[in-house]
Amino acid sequence: MTLQRARSVDELYAETQDYDLVLTTDGPLSLALNRRLDQPRLGRFAATPRMLASGEFTAHDQRSLFLDLVTQTDLSWKHASYLVDNILQSWEETGEIDAILDYDRYDTSPTREAIDVIQQAESSHADLAEYTIPDDFDVAVIGEAQFTTLDCTILPDDYDTISPFAADAFDLPELSLFDSTTAIVETVTDATSTDNAEDVAVVMDRGSEYPSLIESAFESANVPYYGGPGFVDNTRIRTFLRLLRRALSSDSLRLSDVRPILTTIGIDPPVKHDQKQLRSLDQPELDPLQTFCSTINDHTVNEALSTYKAWCDESFTDLRSELRRLGLLEQLVTDTILDDLEYYFQSFDVPTDEEQEGVLLASATSAAYVDRPVVFYLGLDAGWTHSVPDKPWVDADQKDREYLQQFQVLLQNGVEQYYLVKDTEAGESITPCLYFHDLLDEEFDRFSDLPHVPYGRRSPSQPTTGFEKQSITTPSDTVETISQSSLSTLVNCPRDYYFDDLVEGPDRDYLQKGNLFHDFAEFYVNHPDVVDTAGTDVIVEIMREGMEPYVNDLDLATLESELRVGIDAITRYLDENPPTESTYDAYTNPDWGNRFAEHFGRTIDSPITERWFENSALGAKGIIDLIHTPSQLLDYKSGSHSSASTVVKNARIDEISDTPNFQALLYLAQHRDERPGERLRFRLFHFLETLDDAITADEPPSLDEGITTLTYYPTSFEEHIQQEATFEALREDGSNKCQKTFDQVEYDTYRSFLDSHEVPDTYEKDELLDSAFADALTEQMKTAVGDYKYVETGCAQALRQLLSIRTQNYFAPEVDDFEEFLDERLDTLNDWRESRFPIATELAGEPNFDRVDHRDLLLTDEQAQSPSTTASQSTTLDTGEGDQ
């Protein structure tokens, strides 16, 4: 890959050293030329036009003129910024401050007002328009094509032009192709140290992911650098702005909203409170923040900063000075002021006193020259392409040529250049910088189409700084039981299960609401008289107090209606279906407390409510809401209704569902140990299913809509449908033509057919209706009844009815298979505890990511894929500083 060779800084200095003055539009180049002077000179040797005219290296005209506009006019901050940008840009390209008025679109009263202010203000643009170079100066101009019309006004009548390019070619080194951003950052930091920091520069897109990672890596390794974070990138300043924004919305603040702020000032409350309203928490360390947020509307910006200063024990002198310059320091904190302040910091570079030592971090679109012997170029993607202003005073083609030339020079800085790139990101190919298409003859769409060397991740050969490691040989405990919710998580995504076990999560509002309803239901079974005496209003108030930390004031009225409906539904159901008291050997009282029992000073001693089991033989544990009768379990659900067929489908182990849920199957497996050989039922009571009807209807709605019942039969499905009761159900409860057909045959005919034909093992209706079994049944019924069309229809209706029995209930072999499945999952779980929990498994395939709780901790296959250990090259790059 060849480009036109750019002259080095040393070559340019050699050609220009005898001139009185060297002009360039590239500030870093002028500094580099000045650094090479071998003897003192009066005045400047090399400078940019604006630097020469103003006497400043970096003139912040946009910022200073913006401040003049917002303090001297009534223009909004965004409008003032827009006008300053347009006026200065037009001035640079045309050479006249009022040339923008030649364009009708921009000839407006605000523009004229802004021009009047700018004309009266001090700026390097005004200095440049008035500056004259002495006639006796011998002047050289480097890269005249980069000079704007305003820049050219400074040039004398006689000067020499110096091209930044030589006549020969430059062979662009091969690209270094990496698998990940992390590998690129590691390569740069491995090759950089405190000893060679002054010799290294890193060029990257300031808007990409690279700057923050490079800065963090250098800080971790104690490698000095500069050119990195600006004023607003200061963590403390960003936290202050976030604090003001959060405080202004304090009525709906949750602890999670302010946790980054608390972390910055050294406060770390328990994660379990994250979803609670900040104002509801009773923790002394949070009192100052709660008071600050509740009184923010009475604070001036200065008072808010003083409070924050006391928390952080930091001076914030620069920030206070900038706020004073903006005229905001003594104003009350408002959303409008904060909007303006955030816009200002995002739009303008505020000067900071930064030490010019260490690795130089350079922006890919700021300048063309980087005066360091070793230069790393990171990314080189579309973010390196300049955006050409779409303005009538800008010659887009000329500007493109200028940017292309700047890019070409930029790539050739240093004695050694390293181009570190990735080929893909999240499975998509990365588009190289568009300037490559103009400079190179090759046809390419991605970096791997260009000459490159692949690099894989490696373990560093030299000791590196970082966290100390300590070998731990303690064996892990064996997991013997698992809950139904953990089993569902494990089946969907094993690594999500692992993080559930590892990472503390916050208490959730919906879980808190469910717990309150469960506490109420348990208390009502134990003390219905207390509930009746207290009345619904008292019960609602107790529950409301429990939910207030999670719910804002606007939602409390809606929540109260929901609580009343739920309380009414639970009490009605238990009154209409009173539970049967009994004792059970397999269950114990978990004694986890009950809010209502604590409020009313009562005990919970019923042997049928909230019963805990931990069955190591089965491998399961859990808590049953209510053992309604010896043969029926009841589970309260505050969520939406699920049909019996959905419950069965989600628990199938031959075809894992996208929404696995094994609760009913696991609890029935447990309870059949207590009641072996019996027919059992598991009932789900969705007590909020009738919420809408309960609010709008005149009469209490039927609770049947919220009830789902699944039956466990201690036989196989085949044995169950052979029973005479099933045959009678077809004759009495089946559809019309099913009844008509089977009413004309005897049970013996039905039983004889099933004895001689194998029932298909399927849960699919179409598969059953298209089976040989269905054909044989139809023929048998036609023989017995007659060759009538209704017989075909009646047989199809009978098959659908039999299939619904299979898809809405459980049978002994299915529960047996589930118990074996449970054993296998526990064995696999314990194997993973000794190795690594995968994201996906052969059992369930890719997880349903909508059902995982720790999506941010789960890397996809492409992200998690380890680079090949047999990559053709290691990541060590020779920087000329010895072995890195």
Side-chain angles (χ1 to χ4, degrees):
M1 298 188 291
T2 59
L3 311 177
Q4 184 179 5
R5 187 174 69 82
R7 293 178 176 181
S8 68
V9 176
D10 288 329
E11 289 177 294
L12 291 173
Y13 175 72
E15 186 163 349
T16 60
Q17 61 181 329
D18 295 329
Y19 285 88
D20 296 319
L21 178 64
V22 180
L23 292 177
T24 172
T25 59
D26 195 289
L29 173 59
S30 70
L31 283 181
L33 292 173
N34 286 321
R35 280 196 295 266
R36 281 159 175 76
L37 289 173
D38 54 7
Q39 58 184 354
R41 294 197 184 196
L42 291 176
R44 294 186 181 274
F45 165 59
T48 66
R50 285 170 57 191
M51 184 192 307
L52 181 66
S54 67
E56 300 179 20
F57 172 64
T58 303
H60 297 273
D61 282 0
Q62 283 186 304
R63 173 171 162 269
S64 63
L65 294 175
F66 165 81
L67 292 173
D68 288 336
L69 283 188
V70 297
T71 55
Q72 298 179 35
T73 72
D74 294 328
L75 295 169
S76 72
W77 286 31
K78 288 188 177 181
H79 196 184
S81 174
Y82 169 79
L83 291 174
V84 168
D85 185 58
N86 282 337
I87 292 170
L88 294 186
Q89 193 181 84
S90 170
W91 193 357
E92 291 169 3
E93 297 298 331
T94 64
E96 300 292 337
I97 188 174
D98 56 357
I100 190 174
L101 301 176
D102 294 339
Y103 306 97
D104 293 341
R105 174 183 173 188
Y106 299 95
D107 186 3
T108 64
S109 296
T111 304
R112 291 178 178 275
E113 183 181 13
I115 290 175
D116 289 341
V117 173
I118 292 173
Q119 281 179 322
Q120 302 301 317
E122 294 183 358
S123 70
S124 65
H125 284 72
D127 293 337
L128 185 56
E130 300 296 330
Y131 192 83
T132 302
I133 296 175
D135 293 335
D136 59 344
F137 267 41
D138 192 8
V139 178
V141 175
I142 300 176
E144 184 180 9
Q146 303 287 333
F147 280 54
T148 65
T149 302
L150 184 60
D151 290 331
C152 290
T153 62
I154 201 175
L155 299 179
D157 294 336
D158 185 26
Y159 58 88
D160 293 330
T161 60
I162 307 296
S163 173
F165 293 99
D168 53 336
F170 172 74
D171 290 326
L172 196 67
E174 291 178 317
L175 303 173
S176 300
L177 198 63
F178 289 83
D179 299 311
S180 68
T181 304
T182 302
I184 290 176
V185 173
E186 286 178 351
T187 299
V188 175
T189 52
D190 284 350
T192 310
S193 67
T194 53
D195 295 331
N196 66 7
E198 295 292 334
D199 298 321
V200 177
V202 180
V203 184
M204 49 195 165
D205 171 18
R206 292 300 303 175
S208 70
E209 60 192 332
Y210 290 104
S212 59
L213 295 176
I214 286 288
E215 292 155 12
S216 297
F218 282 157
E219 288 175 3
S220 176
N222 293 318
V223 174
Y225 65 90
Y226 71 96
F231 186 84
V232 76
D233 293 312
N234 181 289
T235 301
R236 299 288 197 186
I237 294 176
R238 294 173 68 90
T239 301
F240 176 63
L241 298 178
R242 186 184 296 116
L243 171 65
L244 297 184
R245 181 66 74 188
R246 292 290 185 266
L248 289 169
S249 59
S250 59
D251 288 344
S252 59
L253 275 183
R254 298 183 186 275
L255 181 62
S256 59
D257 296 325
V258 297
R259 181 168 292 279
I261 299 169
L262 294 171
T263 300
T264 301
I265 60 180
I267 300 176
D268 187 23
V271 173
K272 67 178 183 178
H273 297 312
D274 268 11
Q275 292 303 308
K276 293 181 179 179
Q277 304 270 330
L278 175 65
R279 55 186 169 81
S280 72
L281 295 172
D282 184 16
Q283 297 186 36
E285 68 270 23
L286 297 179
D287 287 346
L289 180 60
Q290 290 169 323
T291 301
F292 180 86
C293 290
S294 64
T295 60
I296 186 61
N297 293 321
D298 299 326
H299 284 60
T300 64
V301 175
N302 186 32
E303 291 169 341
L305 182 58
S306 296
T307 300
Y308 182 62
K309 170 180 175 288
W311 292 348
C312 298
D313 192 23
E314 193 167 322
S315 64
F316 294 108
T317 303
D318 290 342
L319 177 58
R320 192 181 300 276
S321 297
E322 198 63 27
L323 292 171
R324 182 178 292 108
R325 188 191 308 270
L326 293 168
L328 300 180
L329 203 56
E330 300 305 325
Q331 295 194 37
L332 291 175
V333 176
T334 64
D335 281 311
T336 301
I337 284 179
L338 189 54
D339 289 341
D340 288 341
L341 190 57
E342 289 178 340
Y343 174 78
Y344 172 75
F345 283 137
Q346 291 166 4
S347 302
F348 299 97
D349 291 328
V350 179
T352 57
D353 295 329
E354 185 179 43
E355 294 184 2
Q356 305 282 301
E357 296 179 355
V359 178
L360 171 60
L361 306 184
S363 169
T365 56
S366 293
Y369 289 91
V370 179
D371 189 24
R372 293 295 173 94
V374 178
V375 184
F376 291 99
Y377 300 86
L378 310 188
L380 292 163
D381 52 23
W384 283 53
T385 306
H386 291 261
S387 176
V388 178
D390 183 19
K391 299 295 171 64
W393 50 81
V394 175
D395 184 337
D397 292 336
Q398 172 61 24
K399 192 63 68 175
D400 262 331
R401 287 191 293 269
E402 292 175 14
Y403 289 150
L404 177 63
Q405 186 180 84
Q406 180 177 324
F407 178 75
Q408 190 171 356
V409 172
L410 180 62
L411 291 184
Q412 300 181 48
N413 278 271
V415 178
E416 300 173 17
Q417 304 88 17
Y418 298 101
Y419 309 100
L420 282 53
V421 301
K422 295 185 299 181
D423 196 40
T424 60
E425 178 72 44
E428 299 291 333
S429 60
I430 292 176
T431 302
C433 179
L434 299 181
Y435 300 132
F436 280 118
H437 291 274
D438 296 316
L439 296 173
L440 304 177
D441 295 331
E442 292 95 332
E443 292 291 331
F444 61 91
D445 296 314
R446 54 198 297 177
F447 285 118
S448 58
D449 295 334
L450 296 169
H452 66 276
V453 179
Y455 286 85
R457 187 187 297 272
R458 64 168 177 82
S459 297
S461 57
Q462 300 293 329
T464 60
T465 58
F467 296 109
E468 294 182 358
K469 297 179 181 179
Q470 181 178 359
S471 177
I472 298 177
T473 58
T474 303
S476 59
D477 296 332
T478 299
V479 177
E480 296 184 350
T481 58
I482 190 170
S483 68
Q484 57 88 13
S485 59
S486 293
L487 176 63
S488 299
T489 302
L490 180 71
V491 169
N492 181 55
C493 180
R495 197 171 300 175
D496 192 43
Y497 163 88
Y498 169 71
F499 283 123
D500 261 350
D501 193 42
L502 187 69
V503 179
E504 182 182 7
D507 294 339
R508 302 288 183 179
D509 55 344
Y510 60 88
L511 292 177
Q512 173 70 359
K513 183 172 67 175
N515 290 338
L516 288 169
F517 276 121
H518 279 73
D519 279 1
F520 169 73
E522 179 184 32
F523 186 75
Y524 187 69
V525 171
N526 282 265
H527 302 287
D529 54 326
V530 176
V531 173
D532 292 341
T533 301
T536 301
D537 289 344
V538 173
I539 300 298
V540 168
E541 183 59 30
I542 296 172
M543 299 179 76
R544 175 176 166 143
E545 288 176 2
M547 289 300 298
E548 279 184 346
Y550 301 90
V551 183
N552 60 50
D553 293 340
L554 295 176
D555 294 329
L556 279 176
T558 302
L559 173 66
E560 185 172 323
S561 297
E562 194 173 322
L563 296 177
R564 290 182 180 278
V565 170
I567 291 168
D568 177 68
I570 291 171
T571 54
R572 283 173 55 205
Y573 180 84
L574 292 173
D575 289 345
E576 295 170 8
N577 304 275
T580 302
E581 288 283 339
S582 186
T583 57
Y584 303 93
D585 296 334
Y587 304 101
T588 59
N589 180 8
D591 193 23
W592 288 341
N594 183 291
R595 178 179 291 266
F596 298 92
E598 294 169 2
H599 179 86
F600 290 107
R602 301 301 178 97
T603 59
I604 301 293
D605 52 16
S606 171
I608 61 174
T609 59
E610 300 294 321
R611 307 312 289 168
W612 169 259
F613 68 89
E614 188 163 4
N615 187 340
S616 57
L618 175 63
K621 62 184 176 182
I623 189 164
I624 295 173
D625 294 345
L626 178 64
I627 306 178
H628 201 179
T629 70
S631 61
Q632 177 173 291
L633 308 178
L634 181 70
D635 194 78
Y636 304 104
K637 295 292 183 186
S638 58
S640 58
H641 178 262
S642 296
S643 66
S645 58
T646 299
V647 174
V648 171
K649 180 181 179 181
N650 286 338
R652 286 178 58 183
I653 60 176
D654 58 326
E655 185 176 338
I656 300 298
S657 167
D658 280 345
T659 53
N661 189 325
F662 302 98
Q663 182 186 27
L665 189 51
L666 186 146
Y667 284 12
L668 286 169
Q670 158 66 21
H671 202 57
R672 78 171 183 172
D673 274 2
E674 175 75 20
R675 314 287 294 189
E678 293 186 20
R679 179 180 296 187
L680 307 173
R681 289 194 300 177
F682 184 84
R683 175 165 288 179
L684 303 168
F685 176 30
H686 305 87
F687 52 85
L688 293 178
E689 182 65 21
T690 60
L691 176 62
D692 292 340
D693 291 341
I695 293 175
T696 59
D698 294 331
E699 297 293 332
S702 171
L703 299 177
D704 293 342
E705 294 180 22
I707 294 174
T708 300
T709 303
L710 301 99
T711 301
Y712 163 74
Y713 297 98
T715 63
S716 68
F717 170 68
E718 292 77 10
E719 292 172 334
H720 175 73
I721 64 174
Q722 287 178 356
Q723 296 175 2
E724 187 170 1
T726 306
F727 173 73
E728 292 300 328
L730 293 176
R731 301 174 72 176
E732 298 173 6
D733 303 328
S735 300
N736 290 337
K737 293 179 181 179
C738 173
Q739 293 184 32
K740 183 177 181 181
T741 299
F742 284 83
D743 206 33
Q744 301 181 61
V745 298
E746 298 298 325
Y747 169 65
D748 290 343
T749 302
Y750 171 81
R751 177 62 185 267
S752 175
F753 172 79
L754 292 178
D755 284 341
S756 59
H757 292 81
E758 184 177 352
V759 181
D761 185 16
T762 181
Y763 287 79
E764 302 299 328
K765 178 186 67 175
D766 292 341
E767 188 175 342
L768 178 61
L769 294 178
D770 294 339
S771 66
F773 178 84
D775 294 340
L777 176 64
T778 303
E779 289 300 317
Q780 179 76 28
M781 292 300 104
K782 284 184 176 180
T783 300
V785 178
D787 190 3
Y788 303 111
K789 183 67 175 177
Y790 76 83
V791 174
E792 294 182 11
T793 304
C795 289
Q797 292 173 346
L799 290 171
R800 282 194 287 267
Q801 185 167 333
L802 294 177
L803 183 66
S804 68
I805 297 174
R806 162 168 271 175
T807 59
Q808 298 178 29
N809 300 283
Y810 293 115
F811 299 88
E814 295 169 359
V815 181
D816 293 341
D817 291 343
F818 172 73
E819 292 185 0
E820 183 177 343
F821 170 83
L822 190 54
D823 287 339
E824 293 171 352
R825 300 284 69 73
L826 286 170
D827 289 342
T828 306
L829 165 60
N830 286 301
D831 288 342
W832 286 332
R833 283 167 62 86
E834 299 295 337
S835 56
R836 189 168 187 244
F837 283 81
I839 292 177
T841 63
E842 293 183 3
L843 174 70
E846 287 294 319
N848 178 357
F849 284 107
D850 290 336
R851 302 262 298 183
V852 302
D853 293 324
H854 307 283
R855 183 64 185 92
D856 54 335
L857 298 178
L858 302 180
L859 299 178
T860 62
D861 285 346
E862 289 175 356
Q863 292 170 313
Q865 184 179 7
S866 298
S868 173
T869 56
T870 58
S872 61
Q873 302 287 335
S874 72
T875 54
T876 300
L877 298 179
D878 183 6
T879 64
E881 298 295 326
D883 294 337
Q884 300 300 314

